[in-house]
Amino acid sequence: NTAFQPGKSPPRMGHDEDGTWSINLTISSAGTPTGCVWEAGGVNNDALLFFDGITGDLVWRCGGAGRTTFVLDDMTSVISRWVLNQPSGLRLDSVGSNDLTPVGDVGRALAFVGYGANFDGDVDNYLQGTDISIGGKSWTLGVIADGSGTFPGTGTILEFGGGSTLKLEFTTSTNVRVTVEDSVGTQTMDMTVTGPETNVFCFTYDNGTGTLTGYVNDTLNNTLATTAPLQDTANNLYIGRGWDGYVNDVWWIERVVTAAEITELYEMTLS
């Protein structure tokens, strides 16, 4: 436990912040919090966690003064996050307990943000999670994907299989299709993209209205009014089955996030 006063220099330590790292901090303040809580590096290569003296927001910035900053919101109801940067073995869930098991040969490649899981287009090589329910609730799903194969026919970026099926795939180099299927039938939503290179996808599903909404790179792209609610059954999650390229940083949140939070998730991805 260390107490700090405004204008006083805090203790310093030497360390190497290159590569993969994380920090854990417990913060309390007797008054209105202001100033920098944690910093690594110098002006041109820094990571900062600080309270904005005007808005009072807790803000994160990584990569220097020129990089985009974003506000750390109370991002509630986050069930799972898979960064997918492990070189082999289980791909760990950094929030929950839904670790992904590699089936076949799943590699690692330099991705848009750090490293991601790399797939070779073989349907026998993928990551699998079990007992994840997508029905009977509202949710938000986010994923970064980059395809290097021939379109169409590069498999699925991700899919849930079971009583209800949700599938994300490219049908052409400029069209992404989301398929929603349950016992009643199958519906699809197409989204236009500029190409298969790195895209940040985000989807929300409102269980009350049955509305599926798709965003590409922070921009609303399309909506689908589903005719039947998704069944509340346990599903297997498959990532990269037949996909030719990498997948990086998958989010699963059990509520519909706001448009502002969509922006936060996107800017956090860029950081």
Side-chain angles (χ1 to χ4, degrees), residues 20 83-88 91 105-111 114-119 245-248:
T20 301
V83 180
L84 304 181
N85 61 2
Q86 289 82 15
S88 61
R91 269 50 171 195
D105 183 20
V106 178
R108 184 176 78 158
L110 192 61
Y115 285 92
N118 191 47
F119 305 92
Y246 69 72
V247 178
N248 181 209

Side-chain angles (χ1 to χ4, degrees), residues 169-191:
E169 61 188 331
F170 274 87
T171 57
T172 71
S173 61
T174 58
N175 189 79
V176 174
R177 176 165 295 167
V178 182
T179 302
V180 179
E181 180 180 2
D182 58 21
S183 60
V184 177
T186 301
Q187 298 176 78
T188 59
M189 178 178 73
D190 288 339
M191 301 188 300

Side-chain angles (χ1 to χ4, degrees), residues 2-12 34-39:
T2 305
F4 300 100
Q5 297 178 1
K8 301 292 184 180
S9 295
R12 300 167 182 261
T34 60
C36 182
V37 177
W38 182 88
E39 178 182 5

Side-chain angles (χ1 to χ4, degrees), residues 116-136:
N118 191 47
F119 305 92
D120 61 3
D122 190 327
V123 295
D124 294 325
N125 299 328
Y126 55 90
L127 296 173
Q128 177 177 324
T130 59
D131 297 331
I132 302 174
S133 177
I134 63 172

Side-chain angles (χ1 to χ4, degrees), residues 11-240:
R12 300 167 182 261
M13 66 182 72
H15 63 284
D16 182 358
E17 67 269 20
D18 291 341
T20 301
W21 46 266
S22 63
I23 58 171
N24 258 319
L25 297 172
T26 300
I27 306 167
S28 63
S29 178
T32 301
T34 60
C36 182
V37 177
W38 182 88
E39 178 182 5
V43 174
N44 296 318
N45 186 22
D46 62 1
L48 294 172
L49 182 64
F50 63 95
F51 283 96
D52 188 301
I54 298 176
T55 66
D57 290 327
L58 182 62
V59 181
W60 172 258
R61 183 175 71 207
C62 188
R67 294 301 297 270
T68 301
T69 61
F70 64 93
V71 176
L72 292 178
D73 201 328
D74 293 328
M75 196 67 73
T76 59
S77 305
V78 179
I79 302 301
S80 293
R81 182 190 182 191
W82 301 278
V83 180
L84 304 181
N85 61 2
Q86 289 82 15
S88 61
L90 291 176
R91 269 50 171 195
L92 303 179
D93 180 354
S94 62
V95 176
S97 58
N98 297 312
D99 296 341
L100 303 179
T101 301
V103 177
D105 183 20
V106 178
R108 184 176 78 158
L110 192 61
F112 183 56
V113 181
Y115 285 92
N118 191 47
F119 305 92
D120 61 3
D122 190 327
V123 295
D124 294 325
N125 299 328
Y126 55 90
L127 296 173
Q128 177 177 324
T130 59
D131 297 331
I132 302 174
S133 177
I134 63 172
K137 64 193 69 175
S138 298
W139 45 259
T140 299
L141 173 66
V143 58
I144 309 173
D146 184 293
S148 56
T150 303
F151 295 86
T154 58
T156 58
I157 299 170
L158 57 82
E159 61 181 295
F160 287 92
S164 298
T165 297
L166 174 73
K167 184 165 58 177
L168 175 64
E169 61 188 331
F170 274 87
T171 57
T172 71
S173 61
T174 58
N175 189 79
V176 174
R177 176 165 295 167
V178 182
T179 302
V180 179
E181 180 180 2
D182 58 21
S183 60
V184 177
T186 301
Q187 298 176 78
T188 59
M189 178 178 73
D190 288 339
M191 301 188 300
T192 301
V193 297
T194 57
E197 296 76 19
T198 301
N199 288 281
V200 181
F201 300 102
C202 196
F203 304 93
T204 65
Y205 179 76
D206 189 322
N207 189 60
T209 64
T211 302
L212 178 70
T213 304
Y215 298 81
V216 178
N217 298 330
D218 192 32
T219 302
L220 176 64
N221 194 286
N222 204 353
T223 60
L224 172 68
T226 61
T227 56
L230 300 178
Q231 297 180 73
D232 188 10
T233 55
N235 297 267
N236 286 339
L237 167 63
Y238 304 100
I239 296 179

